[in-house]
Amino acid sequence: DKFLTLERMGDKLATKILANIANSKTRPLANVIYGLGIRHIGEHSSEILAAHFGTLEKMRAASADTLAAVHEIGRTTAESIAVWFGDARNAQILDKLLANGVQPAPHQSAPSSDELKGKTFVFTGTLARIKREEAEDMVKKRGGRSGGSVSKQTSYVVAGESAGSKLTKAQELKIPVLTEDEFLDMIAALDAPPADSEIDRQSNTDVQADAAESSGSDSVQAALPGL
């Protein structure tokens, strides 16, 4: 009922906000950002913002210029975010939520490896073997980025069935296009243990030869103790 006392806050808007956020006290930060209903912010943008800022407080305090500098956000979306957080009604909503225990879990974005550091993957079409979210997570865990649109900065486009305009743009920009199987093979190759190098194999051979020679010498000494 307290939400209804906010200026110009009607039943419908209050109910929507409560439905989207009130149950998000322990949910990931990206889910809460998405639940705010900010214009131009979808699930993918929410993940990007959560990964960049880490907490709702830091995102709330960011200027439009700071937001626009975030990878894949851009000026239009940044201004939409800044306007939303700058609105007095929305500030009251956030303050009420925080006062009532809504503290989304800080985003944990540390990758487990950096094999794909500096690489951006864009997924398009329907993947048959894994969900798109799983594929994006595979990239992020290895230090790469998952993009929402194709540009000259895109490293690879992974095309599933019924791939559309993103595939066309990738072909126009001559960006490497992978099938789902090729992408999974790439990930598997990154995760595979390194094969022994020729130097390592030669070193092992030398060690074995030295051990054999030492063993033979010991046998001779044992047989001919007077030598």
Side-chain angles (χ1 to χ4, degrees), residues 135-158:
E136 292 174 346
D137 193 48
M138 289 178 179
V139 172
K140 294 173 186 176
K141 284 183 176 180
R142 291 161 181 81
R145 287 176 169 173
S146 174
S149 59
V150 178
S151 69
K152 292 181 179 179
Q153 284 69 48
T154 303
S155 306
Y156 296 95
V157 169
V158 181

Side-chain angles (χ1 to χ4, degrees), residues 39-109:
R39 189 180 181 190
H40 302 308
I41 297 298
E43 294 182 1
H44 180 68
S45 298
S46 298
E47 288 282 354
I48 292 173
L49 291 165
H52 184 85
F53 290 104
T55 68
L56 189 60
E57 288 78 7
K58 289 181 180 179
M59 178 180 167
R60 183 181 186 180
S63 66
D65 289 339
T66 299
L67 290 160
V70 178
H71 176 69
E72 286 196 77
I73 295 302
R75 175 59 58 178
T76 299
T77 302
E79 290 178 353
S80 178
I81 297 169
V83 168
W84 195 96
F85 281 111
D87 186 277
R89 290 182 305 159
N90 296 331
Q92 286 180 297
I93 293 171
L94 286 178
D95 290 340
K96 290 285 186 180
L97 291 170
L98 294 173
N100 282 278
V102 176
Q103 291 291 340
H107 187 84
Q108 303 295 329
S109 59

